[in-house]
Amino acid sequence: METRIRAVAWCVLAVMLACYLTVLTKNSSINIDSNILSLLPATEADAAVEQAFNNFSEKSMRRLVFLVVNTNMAKARQDAEELTRVLRESPWLTEVKLEHHDGEKAASGEYFFNYRHHLLSKADEALLRERNYQAFSEDAIRQAYAPFSGALIDLLQKDPFLLSYRAGMASSTNSNLTMKLDDGYLITQVKDDYYVLLTAELVQSPFNQDLQQQVLAAINGIEKHWIDESAGTRLIRAGALFYTAYAYDTARHEVNLIGGISTLLVLILLLLSFSSVRPVALVMVALGFGIASGFASVRIIFGAVHLLTIVFGTSLIGVAVDYSFHYFVIDDAESGETRLKRILPAINLGLLTSAIGYAALLPTPFPGLQQMALFCISGLIGAYLTVVLLFPIIPLQNKNAPYLLSLCQKFIALGESKSARISLSIALLLPIFALGMIIMNESTADDVRNFQAQNTDLLNQEHRIQSILNAPAANQFYLVKGSNPEELLRNLETAQVKLDALVAKGAINGYLSIADWLPSIRQQDLNYALYKKLYESDAGLSLIEAGLISQDNFNRAREALAQEHDDYLQPQTWLDSPLGKELDHLWLGVNILNSEGEGRVGDIERNQSYSAVIALRGVMRLDLLDNFSIGESGQAVFIDKISTVNAMLAAYRSNMVLLLVIVCCTVSIILFLRYGLKRAALILTSPIIAISTIVHGLVLLDEPLNLFHILSLFLVVGISVDFGIFSAEAGKLSANTLLAVLLSALSTIFSFGLLSLSATLAVHSFGLSTLIGISSALVLSPIIGHLVIKQSGETNDPCKAG
């Protein structure tokens, strides 16, 4: 009766889980996340700074940049127009921009004319402060007599010193240093190739899979068309969309391939071991329930399941089937309830030690590691509950394969041999050498980009675009705040003084700041005062004497100057201008702190601040870039997300080593309480040697140590300790017991070991370390098992196969 009640309880849990996942699927709310940023912790102590970074990142990740390349300029322009047409037809794209129409020129010209008395370039400011007023009139005369100057001659009548023209030219120089406007197209020539610039913006996050598929299909289609017609046109692209799509496709492929191969190998292993379909079916049920439990737990707690978590989760096969193996290898004559009673202490302790290892990752600030830990703990519990609640009610007629039992018996005999004990004694030297290797070898590779599969071709294309456009760095910039827009703009202007010094030192090649186009009211007043002195000088006489303007024209220009003193350029006006629309990603606007001190963007509230970004061009000396003070209490915060997270990864790699020691100590205490000091020490010998073997293997393979190598050690410790526990609980080292250990190790190698084939370095590192560690633990298992049994006072009958 009790067995049936437990089975009914499992069925209720299974139905609830199935209903939950069905509802998610039906409502299209599975929420598979491929955003690498969601794996990472907050790196800034200031919540407003962190929120501002997220806001900037969101804007930046939606931007796409294309360069259409051909040796024939006309063909490059024609194909750029074709690409533009295709992209504009997509509902997933907006702000697809190729041509700069006359209407935009007119709007831009009107903008600069309306605010000509408040906009002043640094070069012109230097001229005015030196009272070199004649330079303005001389430049105006030179422009007037230049070819195709008809529009400027008309402008002189209202703007004698061509202030609006000068402001427009300075603005163009600041915003783009390489592309030239040619008949409405931004074009540059490098050697024999012509490059035509095209930009676009995604309507949603680039992590939307439907968006990825449709946008890439359109782009790939046009590229195929160019290849088919042998046009010689190439497309260079940059944008988060292309990286995320590649990472998603790679991860999905690996989930299908690695998960499929792992499942197939485990199925073959089961069929070879038990010669029956029923154990195979039950293992699949336990595995399915375990993975579904892990997925549901992460979805409930985090609201979404990251793709990388699923990649690791599919490898849960190797651990989740352990409990099933130990259940199946019990003598065929035993009833389900008797089988369970015999293995229950071992799987209880095995679940506890494994859960402790994974639980150590939960307190880390990395959401990605938290997801993986929760997935594995929940998955193991799900597999455990399936064995404990469901299996006993299912009758079994499996027969353990005699040839495998015979092989296990030979391993037992080998483990009892004198040479095996000598080998173990030698192996105990490995931890000493491993410690020396760790001290001497400081090769590490803690890089957040390891979380995502890298595509060399995409990286090369991005670098090419950055070099041609002199584009600023995407992940390295300064963040400046102010309590209101005016204070923010003043702080930006103050920051420019420090940034100019960094340019002079060679730390950066340049920067992109809103302050170059949107001065503060204070600066606009200073600009106006300098222009007033220009009009009061005799520079205007040169224009009148040259016959370019009349005295009346000049007087009316003076009157306009006087009337426009308070016509200040406001932030929203700049944002609505053609240039403002191109650079609005630098203006983050209002950032609000709620009562908990968390940042968000929204309506104006009491605890608010305004933020803007200063993008950096050509970062050359990262060591010279740091936070610096501006104004009385302001600060320009240097944001280098990749370097900051990499430093955190390195720090947590060290912390994980300490945490691993704590986990091992905790497991040691549990083992000591259960088995006593000597047997506990013998059981711990296996994970210690396994860890040492991993260190030696990584050094020999010239693999720099990273966080995921360390994370794999938690799994290796949990599984290798299980091997010793199962031997200790069995009371004797029979072929059946060793068969369960062998099947457990092989299934782990099949699943986690295959991760070493992954194109994602983080996954590869985890898989490789696990492969080395579990393989060494498997080799040690008969030796350790024999010594554990011998220490307990039990004698082993080598002739008994179980």
Side-chain angles (χ1 to χ4, degrees):
M1 180 62 70
E2 183 181 351
T3 304
R4 292 182 179 179
I5 292 175
R6 292 203 303 267
V8 170
W10 183 90
C11 290
V12 171
L13 291 175
V15 169
M16 292 172 61
L17 185 59
C19 289
Y20 175 70
L21 295 177
T22 301
V23 170
L24 289 181
T25 304
K26 186 176 180 181
N27 296 336
S28 300
S29 55
I30 290 290
N31 286 3
I32 304 299
D33 185 10
S34 59
N35 185 354
I36 189 173
L37 294 178
S38 62
L39 292 172
L40 308 179
T43 57
E44 305 300 331
D46 188 335
V49 171
E50 184 69 23
Q51 176 60 32
F53 168 79
N54 293 335
N55 192 21
F56 176 71
S57 298
E58 182 180 352
K59 287 184 176 182
S60 299
M61 284 191 295
R62 293 190 181 188
R63 297 172 69 86
L64 302 179
V65 179
F66 302 93
L67 288 177
V68 180
V69 191
N70 198 296
T71 54
N72 184 296
M73 184 172 70
K75 183 59 177 172
R77 287 170 50 170
Q78 177 186 336
D79 288 342
E81 290 172 353
E82 186 177 14
L83 176 60
T84 302
R85 176 183 55 79
V86 170
L87 295 181
R88 284 176 177 166
E89 291 175 355
S90 172
W92 298 101
L93 291 167
T94 184
E95 302 293 334
V96 180
K97 188 171 184 178
L98 172 65
E99 310 94 338
H100 292 255
H101 298 293
D102 291 338
E104 291 181 4
K105 293 181 183 178
S108 181
E110 181 181 0
Y111 163 80
F112 286 113
F113 180 80
N114 290 339
Y115 300 101
R116 65 192 183 281
H117 297 138
H118 295 89
L119 298 175
L120 182 61
S121 68
K122 292 179 180 178
D124 284 352
E125 181 181 359
L127 290 174
L128 292 173
R129 290 191 181 280
E130 294 170 1
R131 300 185 180 182
N132 188 1
Y133 303 125
Q134 288 300 325
F136 285 80
S137 58
E138 290 170 1
D139 284 346
I141 294 171
R142 189 180 305 111
Q143 292 291 343
Y145 287 110
F148 310 107
S149 60
L152 291 181
I153 291 176
D154 293 336
L155 179 61
L156 277 168
Q157 311 309 309
K158 296 180 290 186
D159 185 7
F161 298 108
L162 299 180
L163 302 182
S164 57
Y165 174 76
R166 298 173 74 92
M169 292 302 294
S171 173
S172 176
T173 301
N174 286 336
S175 60
N176 197 300
L177 298 181
T178 54
M179 306 296 284
K180 303 299 181 184
L181 198 60
D182 187 332
D183 195 23
Y185 298 84
L186 282 173
I187 300 177
T188 192
Q189 183 179 8
V190 180
K191 295 182 180 180
D192 295 330
D193 289 326
Y194 290 91
Y195 296 79
V196 181
L197 177 65
L198 166 63
T199 60
E201 186 172 327
L202 302 172
V203 297
Q204 291 186 16
S205 163
F207 303 101
N208 182 302
Q209 274 79 59
D210 291 335
L211 179 150
Q212 291 176 8
Q213 292 175 4
Q214 295 194 31
V215 173
L216 290 178
I219 296 172
N220 294 337
I222 196 71
E223 283 191 294
K224 184 178 183 301
H225 171 66
W226 292 342
I227 294 173
D228 291 343
E229 68 173 12
S230 301
T233 302
R234 308 188 309 277
L235 183 65
I236 303 177
R237 70 196 76 182
L241 167 72
F242 307 112
Y243 290 103
T244 57
Y246 176 78
Y248 179 80
D249 289 342
T250 302
R252 182 176 58 182
H253 173 72
E254 290 178 355
V255 167
N256 295 333
L257 180 64
I258 295 176
I261 294 176
S262 299
T263 304
L264 179 62
L265 290 175
V266 170
L267 287 174
I268 293 174
L269 189 63
L270 286 169
L271 289 172
L272 292 175
S273 303
F274 303 118
S275 303
S276 174
V277 175
R278 188 166 294 181
V280 175
L282 288 176
V283 166
M284 291 299 101
V285 170
L287 181 61
F289 188 79
I291 291 178
S293 300
F295 185 95
S297 299
V298 173
R299 175 63 178 79
I300 291 171
I301 300 299
F302 290 92
V305 184
H306 198 277
L307 203 56
L308 197 60
T309 302
I310 297 176
V311 173
F312 277 99
T314 57
S315 302
L316 187 64
I317 297 168
V319 185
V321 297
D322 288 0
Y323 311 133
S324 303
F325 288 151
H326 286 281
Y327 181 87
F328 294 141
V329 297
I330 300 298
D331 195 329
D332 297 340
E334 301 286 5
S335 66
E337 195 65 30
T338 304
R339 286 172 182 261
L340 181 62
K341 287 180 180 178
R342 289 181 58 179
I343 68 164
L344 195 57
I347 65 175
N348 284 344
L349 203 54
L351 175 63
L352 178 62
T353 54
S354 296
I356 288 174
Y358 286 118
L361 305 180
L362 290 174
T364 66
F366 287 83
L369 300 184
Q370 293 171 350
Q371 280 199 22
M372 295 172 199
L374 180 61
F375 194 110
C376 291
I377 292 173
S378 302
L380 288 175
I381 292 175
Y384 169 86
L385 290 177
T386 304
V387 172
V388 172
L389 301 180
L390 180 66
F391 279 20
I393 202 172
I394 308 295
L396 287 177
Q397 296 296 326
N398 62 291
K399 180 70 176 178
N400 297 338
Y403 55 90
L404 285 179
L405 292 174
S406 176
L407 178 64
C408 291
Q409 196 60 55
K410 291 179 180 178
F411 278 135
I412 291 174
L414 182 63
E416 294 174 341
S417 66
K418 183 177 180 181
S419 59
R421 291 194 294 273
I422 295 173
S423 299
L424 179 62
S425 301
I426 296 174
L428 288 174
L429 298 175
L430 289 177
I432 300 174
F433 291 115
L435 183 61
M437 286 182 173
I438 292 174
I439 295 173
M440 295 176 62
N441 184 11
E442 298 181 355
S443 177
T444 58
D446 297 298
D447 194 331
V448 63
R449 287 164 288 200
N450 294 341
F451 281 88
Q452 191 163 280
Q454 296 296 309
N455 185 305
T456 305
D457 182 50
L458 288 176
L459 287 171
N460 291 336
Q461 291 186 59
E462 181 179 5
H463 293 157
R464 184 63 176 155
I465 287 178
Q466 286 182 337
S467 65
I468 290 175
L469 300 182
N470 193 22
N475 294 302
Q476 295 166 323
F477 53 86
Y478 276 96
L479 183 72
V480 178
K481 295 190 298 178
S483 59
N484 53 62
E486 174 65 11
E487 183 179 283
L488 171 60
L489 292 172
R490 291 186 183 187
N491 287 341
L492 286 171
E493 290 162 354
T494 305
Q496 285 185 302
V497 178
K498 299 286 184 70
L499 291 171
D500 288 339
L502 290 174
V503 173
K505 292 178 181 178
I508 55 176
N509 289 338
Y511 57 87
L512 209 59
S513 172
I514 291 172
D516 282 328
W517 303 278
L518 177 59
S520 65
I521 300 298
R522 179 182 64 182
Q523 185 61 44
Q524 290 184 55
D525 280 335
L526 293 174
N527 294 344
Y528 181 88
L530 290 172
Y531 280 136
K532 186 176 180 181
K533 290 182 179 180
L534 171 63
Y535 272 94
E536 292 171 352
S537 72
D538 57 0
L541 292 177
S542 300
L543 299 173
I544 296 172
E545 292 173 356
L548 295 176
I549 62 171
S550 64
Q551 184 65 53
D552 289 341
N553 292 140
F554 191 73
N555 291 338
R556 280 193 292 271
R558 275 181 167 178
E559 291 173 4
L561 174 69
Q563 292 171 0
E564 294 172 6
H565 177 272
D566 295 330
D567 293 344
Y568 298 112
L569 173 59
Q570 300 294 338
Q572 191 58 52
T573 305
W574 179 79
L575 290 169
D576 292 336
S577 71
L579 182 62
K581 290 177 181 178
E582 290 185 15
L583 299 174
D584 63 350
H585 59 287
L586 300 177
W587 178 267
L588 302 182
V590 63
N591 190 83
I592 300 167
L593 293 178
N594 59 29
S595 57
E596 286 77 28
E598 298 173 346
R600 65 184 179 84
V601 175
D603 299 329
I604 296 177
E605 290 183 3
R606 189 172 176 182
N607 299 321
Q608 66 179 20
S609 65
Y610 286 77
S611 305
V613 163
I614 300 178
L616 304 179
R617 285 190 173 112
V619 176
M620 309 299 292
R621 292 283 307 277
L622 192 60
D623 58 305
L624 296 179
L625 302 182
D626 202 353
N627 300 348
F628 56 80
S629 300
I630 47 177
E632 296 181 359
S633 58
Q635 188 178 49
V637 180
F638 178 58
I639 304 292
D640 183 5
K641 190 73 171 181
I642 290 180
S643 295
T644 303
V645 174
N646 288 350
M648 291 186 68
L649 288 174
Y652 274 95
R653 173 170 47 80
S654 301
N655 292 341
M656 286 298 106
V657 173
L658 177 60
L659 193 57
L660 181 65
V661 173
I662 295 174
V663 167
C664 290
C665 291
T666 304
V667 171
S668 300
I669 294 172
I670 295 173
L671 295 176
F672 168 72
L673 294 175
R674 175 72 177 174
Y675 304 116
L677 180 60
K678 292 184 178 180
R679 282 200 293 171
L682 284 170
I683 293 173
L684 285 172
T685 300
S686 179
I688 291 173
I689 294 177
I691 291 173
S692 305
T693 307
I694 291 172
V695 173
H696 286 270
L698 295 179
V699 172
L700 291 174
L701 293 172
D702 196 26
E703 284 244 352
L705 189 66
N706 63 50
L707 176 64
F708 280 86
H709 289 127
I710 303 301
L711 293 179
S712 70
L713 301 183
F714 290 87
L715 174 66
V716 170
V717 167
I719 294 179
S720 53
V721 164
D722 285 352
F723 293 169
I725 290 174
F726 290 131
S727 297
E729 292 294 335
K732 59 182 180 179
L733 191 57
S734 67
N736 280 336
T737 301
L738 192 60
L739 175 60
V741 171
L742 176 65
L743 295 178
S744 175
L746 289 178
S747 62
T748 304
I749 291 171
F750 289 159
S751 52
F752 282 99
L754 285 174
L755 292 179
S756 61
L757 302 176
S758 174
T760 304
L761 185 57
V763 180
H764 161 80
S765 300
F766 193 96
L768 180 62
S769 298
T770 305
L771 175 63
I772 297 172
I774 297 302
S775 298
S776 60
L778 174 61
V779 172
L780 290 172
S781 59
I783 307 173
I784 300 297
H786 167 69
L787 293 176
V788 168
I789 297 299
K790 183 178 180 180
Q791 188 62 44
S792 66
E794 297 282 343
T795 57
N796 180 43
D797 181 7
C799 299
K800 186 175 181 180

